[in-house]
Amino acid sequence: MTPVWPDELFTDLDRTGPVPLYYQVSSRLEQAIRSGTIPTGSRLENEISIGERLGLSRPTVRRAIQELVDKGLLVRRRGIGTQVVQGQVSRPVELTSLYEDLKHGHHEPSTEVLSYEVIPAPEEVAEKLSVAVGSDVLRIRRLRGTDGVPVAILENYLPKEFTDIIEADLKSKGLYQLLRARGVTIRIANQSISARRATADEADLLGESRGGPLLTMERIAFDDSGRAIEYGHHCYRPELYRFETTLVAK
Amino acid sequence: MTPVWPDELFTDLDRTGPVPLYYQVSSRLEQAIRSGTIPTGSRLENEISIGERLGLSRPTVRRAIQELVDKGLLVRRRGIGTQVVQGQVSRPVELTSLYEDLKHGHHEPSTEVLSYEVIPAPEEVAEKLSVAVGSDVLRIRRLRGTDGVPVAILENYLPKEFTDIIEADLKSKGLYQLLRARGVTIRIANQSISARRATADEADLLGESRGGPLLTMERIAFDDSGRAIEYGHHCYRPELYRFETTLVAK
DNA sequence: ATTGTGATATTGTTAGGACATATTGGCTTG
DNA sequence: CAAGCCAATATGTCCTAACAATATCACAAT
């Protein structure tokens, strides 16, 4: 019943390096599933025997499998076993900037900085960033495109201590990448996705018809310590961009 | 430094019932955070002392906390501790139908069944549902509203064995609710969100201007065993609906 | 033919312990 | 006084062990 898996899945793990064992296991499994080595719909061996094969305890194997369950690749049922989900699984919306998103998709992202200025925080921005109204915030407005075609208008607000982000760097790097280089890691983001008509200004920038539909995304991002770091308001050309997610019922 | 928490957080847990201990703990903590009893930005006690207070082992406490980290309410850093995220956390997009979504938001959902028919599966639908092209599938088209105002047009396709879903029931219940009553649990869904212009037909149904923007969502849902159960294509009035998500970097 | 019962397989929950690693801050030393 | 080392603290990883809950199947009983 259980299909025979290739030996590569069970070669020795690296117990000396910094990569956790559960992560090594889940990575191998994910790769095997996405490549079709483990076919969709098939059943996995049970946790204990996988553990025996790899020389791991059950909790470690369990954690590896749980990672893939959370990603939506596997389904578990008590008393039954673990199965691979049928149908192609889309990679979820990740916590990356659009720039990295596009680059990952083997496109050549381009950026034009439309404006870059320090302004007193309007009420809406102040509230989202948890700073005082009127205090200095950095406002960045960019036009993002791929392969020469405009895709999105990005408007971002950051607290004043980030005003040393160099305008020139924004042309060749994503905002999150620049923040990471400064030692700031974005950990959590609250997103809200909707749509609206394009204004005349936006339509011209994006090469879209006036009053045409735009996909919009509003986001507040928090760092390691839970502090609000960035408030963004983006709009995308809907024919060229969409948000993909995998939802898993707990 | 550590704030004093109310005793309610540490009253005895129910060790007899079917509710897991880690779930009882994470529920209490979540409630305390959302209600402000544990203020945003504050630090939690460490895992071990929480465990001692509740009479629990460290793995159990750890799992409870991890649940809230995954939900985006808490942030953990090795060597530092666990902190509550600043800023209001939005509840994530859950794996529920729009009907339950709206009902939860204290609105009164209404449904008009526009069409209900068994048709041979077009290529696109057959592929998404992993059935043969031309095989029978159930097609449902509904107009969903709240408080008398139309909000969305829902088009769903299901495999033929669900043709016994009663058309009349769709008026008063959500599709997922009806599936659950049949013993089918939706476990995983792949969603894709974008936008487009409304067709004349759609604009009339939704009371929207012709050519106006619509928020669109495409979804394939899988059940417990990983089988494709439903393929849906929905469009929403963007002023009345939006998708909210919390993203957490792993 | 249907129902119940028990054996088996598998995941779910909880415990308790050990060691690793990252961060902070104080102490020591040059 | 500054730099570096070290202890304290907290989370991260991994192990062994046990029992609970659920689904399946064979088989007996009605």
Side-chain angles (χ1 to χ4, degrees):
Chain A
M1 200 67 195
T2 305
V4 180
W5 293 341
D7 290 337
E8 296 96 74
L9 275 175
F10 300 105
T11 53
D12 285 346
L13 299 162
D14 177 15
R15 298 188 94 98
T16 64
V19 183
L21 296 172
Y22 73 85
Y23 189 81
Q24 294 181 46
V25 175
S26 74
S27 298
R28 280 190 195 182
L29 282 174
E30 176 167 2
Q31 205 278 326
I33 291 170
R34 292 203 188 271
S35 71
T37 304
I38 301 178
T40 61
S42 68
R43 247 194 58 197
L44 255 59
E45 268 180 63
N46 69 66
E47 297 170 344
I48 296 175
S49 69
I50 291 178
E52 280 171 357
R53 287 228 228 176
L54 286 165
L56 294 174
S57 70
R58 193 183 154 207
T60 303
V61 175
R62 224 179 129 63
R63 173 151 186 197
I65 291 176
Q66 188 60 47
E67 300 264 318
L68 300 184
V69 171
D70 292 341
K71 281 189 180 179
L73 274 82
L74 297 176
V75 167
R76 283 205 282 204
R77 277 184 295 172
R78 187 191 296 201
I80 304 285
T82 306
Q83 277 179 301
V84 181
V85 171
Q86 294 174 354
Q88 63 289 13
V89 275
S90 66
R91 281 173 180 77
V93 179
E94 300 219 346
L95 200 38
T96 54
S97 64
L98 176 59
Y99 186 86
E100 294 162 52
D101 243 33
L102 297 173
K103 195 151 192 182
H104 226 254
H106 304 293
H107 290 284
E108 197 47 50
S110 59
T111 306
E112 181 186 345
V113 180
L114 299 173
S115 75
Y116 179 96
E117 52 189 347
V118 175
I119 62 169
E123 191 173 349
E124 183 203 8
V125 173
E127 189 194 336
K128 309 271 178 169
L129 286 181
S130 300
V131 299
V133 176
S135 63
D136 285 348
V137 292
L138 175 62
R139 177 178 181 270
I140 303 171
R141 194 153 179 260
R142 291 168 295 168
L143 180 65
R144 175 67 46 82
T146 54
D147 309 321
V149 182
V151 171
I153 300 171
L154 316 176
E155 192 176 72
N156 294 91
Y157 296 88
L158 293 94
K160 60 173 174 293
E161 61 258 53
F162 295 104
T163 49
D164 58 343
I165 287 182
I166 309 301
E167 185 176 350
D169 285 345
L170 286 168
K171 277 191 185 149
S172 58
K173 288 172 185 165
L175 179 56
Y176 281 20
Q177 193 181 344
L178 291 173
L179 287 171
R180 261 199 303 278
R182 277 200 39 151
V184 176
T185 314
I186 299 298
R187 181 57 55 94
I188 295 175
N190 290 335
Q191 288 193 176
S192 178
I193 299 169
S194 191
R196 61 171 167 79
R197 282 183 189 279
T199 65
D201 177 44
E202 290 165 344
D204 290 347
L205 281 169
L206 291 172
E208 185 80 42
S209 62
R210 297 197 176 187
L214 288 185
L215 183 63
T216 64
M217 190 265 278
E218 209 183 281
R219 172 171 63 190
I220 310 173
F222 303 87
D223 74 354
D224 267 354
S225 68
R227 219 195 75 173
I229 295 295
E230 178 239 350
Y231 169 58
H233 197 112
H234 301 178
C235 49
Y236 307 83
R237 289 180 64 181
E239 313 87 34
L240 300 179
Y241 198 75
R242 59 189 182 179
F243 293 94
E244 306 207 334
T245 327
T246 297
L247 301 178
V248 180
K250 43 164 195 144
Chain B
M1 198 69 195
T2 304
V4 180
W5 294 340
D7 290 337
E8 296 95 75
L9 275 175
F10 299 105
T11 53
D12 284 346
L13 299 162
D14 177 15
R15 297 186 97 97
T16 65
V19 183
L21 295 172
Y22 73 86
Y23 189 82
Q24 294 181 46
V25 175
S26 73
S27 298
R28 280 189 196 181
L29 282 175
E30 176 167 2
Q31 205 276 327
I33 292 169
R34 292 203 188 272
S35 72
T37 305
I38 302 178
T40 59
S42 67
R43 248 193 58 196
L44 255 59
E45 268 179 63
N46 69 65
E47 297 170 342
I48 296 175
S49 68
I50 291 179
E52 281 170 357
R53 287 230 227 175
L54 286 165
L56 294 174
S57 69
R58 190 180 160 210
T60 303
V61 176
R62 220 177 134 63
R63 174 150 185 195
I65 291 177
Q66 189 60 47
E67 299 265 319
L68 300 184
V69 171
D70 292 340
K71 282 189 179 180
L73 274 83
L74 297 176
V75 170
R76 283 204 281 203
R77 278 185 295 172
R78 188 190 299 201
I80 305 285
T82 306
Q83 276 179 303
V84 181
V85 171
Q86 294 174 355
Q88 63 289 16
V89 276
S90 67
R91 282 174 179 76
V93 179
E94 299 219 344
L95 200 38
T96 54
S97 65
L98 176 59
Y99 186 87
E100 294 160 52
D101 243 33
L102 297 174
K103 196 152 192 179
H104 228 255
H106 304 293
H107 291 283
E108 196 47 53
S110 60
T111 307
E112 181 185 343
V113 180
L114 299 174
S115 76
Y116 179 96
E117 53 189 345
V118 175
I119 62 169
E123 191 173 347
E124 183 203 8
V125 174
E127 189 194 334
K128 309 273 179 166
L129 287 180
S130 301
V131 300
V133 176
S135 63
D136 285 347
V137 292
L138 175 62
R139 176 178 181 271
I140 302 171
R141 194 153 180 263
R142 291 167 295 168
L143 181 64
R144 176 66 44 84
T146 53
D147 309 320
V149 182
V151 171
I153 299 171
L154 318 176
E155 192 175 72
N156 294 91
Y157 295 88
L158 292 97
K160 58 173 176 293
E161 60 259 52
F162 295 103
T163 48
D164 58 344
I165 287 182
I166 309 301
E167 184 177 349
D169 285 346
L170 286 168
K171 277 190 186 152
S172 58
K173 288 173 186 166
L175 180 57
Y176 281 21
Q177 193 180 346
L178 290 172
L179 287 171
R180 262 200 303 278
R182 277 199 39 151
V184 176
T185 314
I186 299 298
R187 182 57 54 94
I188 295 175
N190 290 334
Q191 287 192 175
S192 179
I193 299 169
S194 192
R196 61 172 168 77
R197 282 184 189 277
T199 66
D201 178 43
E202 290 165 345
D204 290 346
L205 282 169
L206 291 173
E208 185 81 41
S209 62
R210 298 199 175 187
L214 288 184
L215 183 63
T216 65
M217 189 265 278
E218 209 182 282
R219 171 171 64 190
I220 309 173
F222 303 87
D223 73 356
D224 266 354
S225 67
R227 219 195 78 179
I229 294 296
E230 177 240 350
Y231 168 57
H233 197 110
H234 301 180
C235 49
Y236 307 82
R237 289 180 64 180
E239 313 86 35
L240 300 179
Y241 198 74
R242 60 189 182 178
F243 293 93
E244 306 207 334
T245 327
T246 297
L247 301 178
V248 181
K250 41 163 197 150

